[in-house]
mmCIF file of all heavy atoms in Angstrom:
data_model
loop_
_atom_site.group_PDB
_atom_site.id
_atom_site.type_symbol
_atom_site.label_atom_id
_atom_site.label_comp_id
_atom_site.label_asym_id
_atom_site.label_seq_id
_atom_site.Cartn_x
_atom_site.Cartn_y
_atom_site.Cartn_z
ATOM 1 N N ASP A 33 44.037 -21.485 -21.036
ATOM 2 C CA ASP A 33 44.080 -22.421 -19.879
ATOM 3 C C ASP A 33 45.533 -22.808 -19.584
ATOM 4 O O ASP A 33 45.916 -22.869 -18.408
ATOM 5 C CB ASP A 33 43.288 -23.668 -20.211
ATOM 6 C CG ASP A 33 41.755 -23.418 -20.290
ATOM 7 O OD1 ASP A 33 41.322 -22.362 -19.744
ATOM 8 O OD2 ASP A 33 41.101 -24.245 -20.821
ATOM 9 N N GLN A 34 46.314 -23.051 -20.644
ATOM 10 C CA GLN A 34 47.715 -23.493 -20.456
ATOM 11 C C GLN A 34 48.547 -22.354 -19.826
ATOM 12 O O GLN A 34 49.323 -22.605 -18.944
ATOM 13 C CB GLN A 34 48.305 -23.901 -21.789
ATOM 14 C CG GLN A 34 49.672 -24.477 -21.733
ATOM 15 C CD GLN A 34 50.118 -24.966 -23.116
ATOM 16 O OE1 GLN A 34 49.754 -24.375 -24.117
ATOM 17 N NE2 GLN A 34 50.913 -26.044 -23.098
ATOM 18 N N ARG A 35 48.280 -21.099 -20.271
ATOM 19 C CA ARG A 35 49.015 -20.005 -19.751
ATOM 20 C C ARG A 35 48.626 -19.755 -18.284
ATOM 21 O O ARG A 35 49.498 -19.475 -17.468
ATOM 22 C CB ARG A 35 48.644 -18.732 -20.620
ATOM 23 C CG ARG A 35 49.144 -17.455 -20.070
ATOM 24 C CD ARG A 35 50.675 -17.330 -20.147
ATOM 25 N NE ARG A 35 51.133 -16.184 -19.415
ATOM 26 C CZ ARG A 35 51.175 -14.937 -19.953
ATOM 27 N NH1 ARG A 35 50.857 -14.714 -21.159
ATOM 28 N NH2 ARG A 35 51.588 -13.965 -19.190
ATOM 29 N N LYS A 36 47.433 -19.874 -17.960
ATOM 30 C CA LYS A 36 46.932 -19.692 -16.592
ATOM 31 C C LYS A 36 47.645 -20.753 -15.692
ATOM 32 O O LYS A 36 48.137 -20.473 -14.577
ATOM 33 C CB LYS A 36 45.483 -19.800 -16.460
ATOM 34 C CG LYS A 36 44.945 -19.526 -15.083
ATOM 35 C CD LYS A 36 43.429 -19.493 -15.099
ATOM 36 C CE LYS A 36 42.894 -19.025 -13.704
ATOM 37 N NZ LYS A 36 41.433 -18.898 -13.751
ATOM 38 N N ALA A 37 47.634 -21.994 -16.108
ATOM 39 C CA ALA A 37 48.280 -23.049 -15.359
ATOM 40 C C ALA A 37 49.798 -22.827 -15.179
ATOM 41 O O ALA A 37 50.326 -23.057 -14.104
ATOM 42 C CB ALA A 37 48.035 -24.403 -16.007
ATOM 43 N N ALA A 38 50.458 -22.381 -16.219
ATOM 44 C CA ALA A 38 51.874 -22.075 -16.168
ATOM 45 C C ALA A 38 52.130 -20.934 -15.181
ATOM 46 O O ALA A 38 53.112 -20.981 -14.427
ATOM 47 C CB ALA A 38 52.465 -21.748 -17.556
ATOM 48 N N ASP A 39 51.332 -19.908 -15.252
ATOM 49 C CA ASP A 39 51.507 -18.782 -14.345
ATOM 50 C C ASP A 39 51.311 -19.204 -12.875
ATOM 51 O O ASP A 39 52.050 -18.757 -12.050
ATOM 52 C CB ASP A 39 50.522 -17.642 -14.674
ATOM 53 C CG ASP A 39 50.894 -16.901 -15.976
ATOM 54 O OD1 ASP A 39 51.964 -17.150 -16.536
ATOM 55 O OD2 ASP A 39 50.116 -16.027 -16.389
ATOM 56 N N ARG A 40 50.322 -20.000 -12.645
ATOM 57 C CA ARG A 40 50.017 -20.467 -11.290
ATOM 58 C C ARG A 40 51.237 -21.360 -10.802
ATOM 59 O O ARG A 40 51.607 -21.282 -9.681
ATOM 60 C CB ARG A 40 48.767 -21.233 -11.171
ATOM 61 C CG ARG A 40 47.620 -20.237 -11.394
ATOM 62 C CD ARG A 40 46.281 -20.733 -10.976
ATOM 63 N NE ARG A 40 46.270 -20.913 -9.532
ATOM 64 C CZ ARG A 40 45.293 -21.485 -8.856
ATOM 65 N NH1 ARG A 40 44.297 -22.036 -9.541
ATOM 66 N NH2 ARG A 40 45.351 -21.579 -7.563
ATOM 67 N N ALA A 41 51.747 -22.167 -11.708
ATOM 68 C CA ALA A 41 52.883 -23.027 -11.364
ATOM 69 C C ALA A 41 54.143 -22.201 -11.007
ATOM 70 O O ALA A 41 54.968 -22.598 -10.221
ATOM 71 C CB ALA A 41 53.179 -24.018 -12.438
ATOM 72 N N ALA A 42 54.224 -20.982 -11.643
ATOM 73 C CA ALA A 42 55.356 -20.138 -11.396
ATOM 74 C C ALA A 42 55.166 -19.249 -10.148
ATOM 75 O O ALA A 42 56.024 -18.452 -9.840
ATOM 76 C CB ALA A 42 55.559 -19.256 -12.652
ATOM 77 N N GLY A 43 54.036 -19.428 -9.509
ATOM 78 C CA GLY A 43 53.789 -18.725 -8.249
ATOM 79 C C GLY A 43 52.812 -17.568 -8.320
ATOM 80 O O GLY A 43 52.623 -16.891 -7.273
ATOM 81 N N SER A 44 52.234 -17.304 -9.423
ATOM 82 C CA SER A 44 51.280 -16.177 -9.507
ATOM 83 C C SER A 44 50.045 -16.592 -8.814
ATOM 84 O O SER A 44 49.588 -17.759 -8.796
ATOM 85 C CB SER A 44 50.941 -15.914 -11.037
ATOM 86 O OG SER A 44 50.095 -14.831 -11.139
ATOM 87 N N ASN A 45 49.407 -15.615 -8.155
ATOM 88 C CA ASN A 45 48.151 -16.001 -7.422
ATOM 89 C C ASN A 45 47.022 -16.159 -8.480
ATOM 90 O O ASN A 45 47.095 -15.739 -9.602
ATOM 91 C CB ASN A 45 47.806 -14.963 -6.359
ATOM 92 C CG ASN A 45 47.282 -13.636 -6.877
ATOM 93 O OD1 ASN A 45 46.608 -13.579 -7.896
ATOM 94 N ND2 ASN A 45 47.559 -12.576 -6.142
ATOM 95 N N ALA A 46 45.964 -16.843 -7.988
ATOM 96 C CA ALA A 46 44.843 -17.196 -8.892
ATOM 97 C C ALA A 46 44.242 -16.006 -9.580
ATOM 98 O O ALA A 46 43.772 -16.110 -10.701
ATOM 99 C CB ALA A 46 43.789 -17.995 -8.115
ATOM 100 N N GLY A 47 44.198 -14.849 -8.935
ATOM 101 C CA GLY A 47 43.566 -13.676 -9.512
ATOM 102 C C GLY A 47 44.293 -13.034 -10.686
ATOM 103 O O GLY A 47 43.746 -12.352 -11.506
ATOM 104 N N PHE A 48 45.639 -13.321 -10.761
ATOM 105 C CA PHE A 48 46.472 -12.707 -11.804
ATOM 106 C C PHE A 48 46.929 -13.706 -12.816
ATOM 107 O O PHE A 48 47.396 -13.322 -13.892
ATOM 108 C CB PHE A 48 47.661 -12.015 -11.148
ATOM 109 C CG PHE A 48 47.301 -10.779 -10.417
ATOM 110 C CD1 PHE A 48 47.307 -10.810 -9.025
ATOM 111 C CD2 PHE A 48 46.988 -9.623 -11.083
ATOM 112 C CE1 PHE A 48 46.898 -9.673 -8.340
ATOM 113 C CE2 PHE A 48 46.628 -8.456 -10.403
ATOM 114 C CZ PHE A 48 46.603 -8.457 -9.008
ATOM 115 N N ALA A 49 46.855 -14.983 -12.543
ATOM 116 C CA ALA A 49 47.347 -16.041 -13.447
ATOM 117 C C ALA A 49 46.569 -15.985 -14.773
ATOM 118 O O ALA A 49 45.354 -15.939 -14.809
ATOM 119 C CB ALA A 49 47.175 -17.398 -12.830
ATOM 120 N N GLY A 50 47.298 -15.889 -15.835
ATOM 121 C CA GLY A 50 46.716 -15.942 -17.193
ATOM 122 C C GLY A 50 46.153 -14.633 -17.662
ATOM 123 O O GLY A 50 45.597 -14.631 -18.796
ATOM 124 N N ARG A 51 46.341 -13.582 -16.970
ATOM 125 C CA ARG A 51 45.706 -12.330 -17.385
ATOM 126 C C ARG A 51 46.283 -11.735 -18.699
ATOM 127 O O ARG A 51 45.535 -11.032 -19.344
ATOM 128 C CB ARG A 51 45.863 -11.284 -16.289
ATOM 129 C CG ARG A 51 44.958 -11.618 -15.080
ATOM 130 C CD ARG A 51 44.988 -10.543 -14.014
ATOM 131 N NE ARG A 51 44.245 -9.393 -14.546
ATOM 132 C CZ ARG A 51 44.062 -8.330 -13.817
ATOM 133 N NH1 ARG A 51 44.600 -8.172 -12.605
ATOM 134 N NH2 ARG A 51 43.431 -7.274 -14.295
ATOM 135 N N GLY A 52 47.476 -12.136 -18.999
ATOM 136 C CA GLY A 52 48.054 -11.617 -20.262
ATOM 137 C C GLY A 52 47.611 -12.416 -21.487
ATOM 138 O O GLY A 52 47.855 -11.923 -22.638
ATOM 139 N N ALA A 53 47.060 -13.507 -21.297
ATOM 140 C CA ALA A 53 46.670 -14.420 -22.451
ATOM 141 C C ALA A 53 45.723 -13.713 -23.457
ATOM 142 O O ALA A 53 45.955 -13.845 -24.657
ATOM 143 C CB ALA A 53 46.052 -15.738 -21.972
ATOM 144 N N PRO A 54 44.666 -12.987 -23.063
ATOM 145 C CA PRO A 54 43.812 -12.345 -24.053
ATOM 146 C C PRO A 54 44.559 -11.350 -24.994
ATOM 147 O O PRO A 54 44.277 -11.354 -26.162
ATOM 148 C CB PRO A 54 42.764 -11.633 -23.204
ATOM 149 C CG PRO A 54 42.738 -12.428 -21.915
ATOM 150 C CD PRO A 54 44.100 -12.844 -21.695
ATOM 151 N N VAL A 55 45.471 -10.619 -24.422
ATOM 152 C CA VAL A 55 46.217 -9.685 -25.207
ATOM 153 C C VAL A 55 47.165 -10.481 -26.199
ATOM 154 O O VAL A 55 47.232 -10.094 -27.409
ATOM 155 C CB VAL A 55 47.069 -8.724 -24.361
ATOM 156 C CG1 VAL A 55 48.013 -7.851 -25.191
ATOM 157 C CG2 VAL A 55 46.095 -7.809 -23.602
ATOM 158 N N GLU A 56 47.778 -11.459 -25.710
ATOM 159 C CA GLU A 56 48.689 -12.302 -26.570
ATOM 160 C C GLU A 56 47.877 -12.964 -27.683
ATOM 161 O O GLU A 56 48.354 -12.986 -28.857
ATOM 162 C CB GLU A 56 49.388 -13.343 -25.737
ATOM 163 C CG GLU A 56 50.324 -12.707 -24.740
ATOM 164 C CD GLU A 56 50.836 -13.690 -23.712
ATOM 165 O OE1 GLU A 56 50.350 -14.803 -23.596
ATOM 166 O OE2 GLU A 56 51.847 -13.301 -23.061
ATOM 167 N N ILE A 57 46.709 -13.446 -27.401
ATOM 168 C CA ILE A 57 45.865 -14.073 -28.387
ATOM 169 C C ILE A 57 45.403 -13.035 -29.449
ATOM 170 O O ILE A 57 45.459 -13.276 -30.653
ATOM 171 C CB ILE A 57 44.645 -14.798 -27.790
ATOM 172 C CG1 ILE A 57 45.118 -15.994 -26.965
ATOM 173 C CG2 ILE A 57 43.611 -15.195 -28.838
ATOM 174 C CD1 ILE A 57 44.083 -16.557 -26.056
ATOM 175 N N ALA A 58 45.054 -11.862 -28.967
ATOM 176 C CA ALA A 58 44.616 -10.786 -29.853
ATOM 177 C C ALA A 58 45.788 -10.371 -30.778
ATOM 178 O O ALA A 58 45.602 -10.180 -31.967
ATOM 179 C CB ALA A 58 44.135 -9.566 -29.051
ATOM 180 N N MET A 59 46.959 -10.269 -30.261
ATOM 181 C CA MET A 59 48.111 -9.906 -31.015
ATOM 182 C C MET A 59 48.368 -10.985 -32.113
ATOM 183 O O MET A 59 48.695 -10.712 -33.263
ATOM 184 C CB MET A 59 49.353 -9.621 -30.172
ATOM 185 C CG MET A 59 49.174 -8.352 -29.366
ATOM 186 S SD MET A 59 50.464 -8.049 -28.131
ATOM 187 C CE MET A 59 51.980 -8.167 -29.044
ATOM 188 N N ALA A 60 48.251 -12.243 -31.698
ATOM 189 C CA ALA A 60 48.470 -13.351 -32.649
ATOM 190 C C ALA A 60 47.412 -13.313 -33.773
ATOM 191 O O ALA A 60 47.730 -13.678 -34.898
ATOM 192 C CB ALA A 60 48.372 -14.722 -31.930
ATOM 193 N N ARG A 61 46.237 -12.807 -33.467
ATOM 194 C CA ARG A 61 45.169 -12.691 -34.496
ATOM 195 C C ARG A 61 45.283 -11.383 -35.283
ATOM 196 O O ARG A 61 44.497 -11.201 -36.186
ATOM 197 C CB ARG A 61 43.844 -12.751 -33.776
ATOM 198 C CG ARG A 61 43.489 -14.125 -33.261
ATOM 199 C CD ARG A 61 42.180 -14.163 -32.576
ATOM 200 N NE ARG A 61 41.778 -15.538 -32.303
ATOM 201 C CZ ARG A 61 40.747 -15.884 -31.512
ATOM 202 N NH1 ARG A 61 40.022 -14.935 -30.910
ATOM 203 N NH2 ARG A 61 40.445 -17.136 -31.358
ATOM 204 N N GLY A 62 46.252 -10.548 -34.899
ATOM 205 C CA GLY A 62 46.407 -9.354 -35.637
ATOM 206 C C GLY A 62 45.446 -8.234 -35.230
ATOM 207 O O GLY A 62 45.223 -7.231 -35.971
ATOM 208 N N VAL A 63 44.924 -8.291 -34.001
ATOM 209 C CA VAL A 63 44.016 -7.329 -33.457
ATOM 210 C C VAL A 63 44.862 -6.240 -32.761
ATOM 211 O O VAL A 63 45.829 -6.608 -32.035
ATOM 212 C CB VAL A 63 43.034 -7.904 -32.447
ATOM 213 C CG1 VAL A 63 42.170 -6.873 -31.802
ATOM 214 C CG2 VAL A 63 42.211 -8.959 -33.136
ATOM 215 N N SER A 64 44.544 -5.008 -32.926
ATOM 216 C CA SER A 64 45.281 -3.943 -32.283
ATOM 217 C C SER A 64 45.207 -4.032 -30.774
ATOM 218 O O SER A 64 44.100 -4.199 -30.226
ATOM 219 C CB SER A 64 44.715 -2.577 -32.748
ATOM 220 O OG SER A 64 45.274 -1.541 -31.947
#
Side-chain angles (χ1 to χ4, degrees):
D33 291 343
Q34 187 176 32
R35 171 69 190 275
K36 185 173 186 175
D39 286 354
R40 291 196 69 191
S44 183
N45 73 31
F48 291 102
R51 289 186 72 179
V55 171
E56 293 167 348
I57 293 166
M59 290 172 54
R61 289 179 169 168
V63 175
S64 169

